Amino acid sequence: MKVFLAALVFAAVVAVGTAIFLGGIQQPVSSAFSTSGARVGDPGNNLMVPG
């Protein structure tokens, strides 16, 4: 039983540490998918068509 509780506490500590670490290095979705040079008026004009 002690081993199970120790593993549970260890998993909780690792989960909290990982959440804090990833929360610090990840960028928000609003900035991750925003581009400054996107042309919205002509979508799909740069797609290659096999011919």
Side-chain angles (χ1 to χ4, degrees):
M1 187 70 175
K2 289 182 183 180
V3 175
F4 176 74
L5 290 177
L8 188 64
V9 170
F10 177 75
V13 169
V14 169
V16 170
T18 303
I20 292 171
F21 175 72
L22 289 178
I25 64 171
Q26 286 181 336
Q27 57 182 331
V29 70
S30 59
S31 66
F33 290 107
S34 63
T35 58
S36 60
R39 295 187 310 185
V40 181
D42 192 12
N45 68 336
N46 60 347
L47 300 176
M48 294 182 58
V49 179

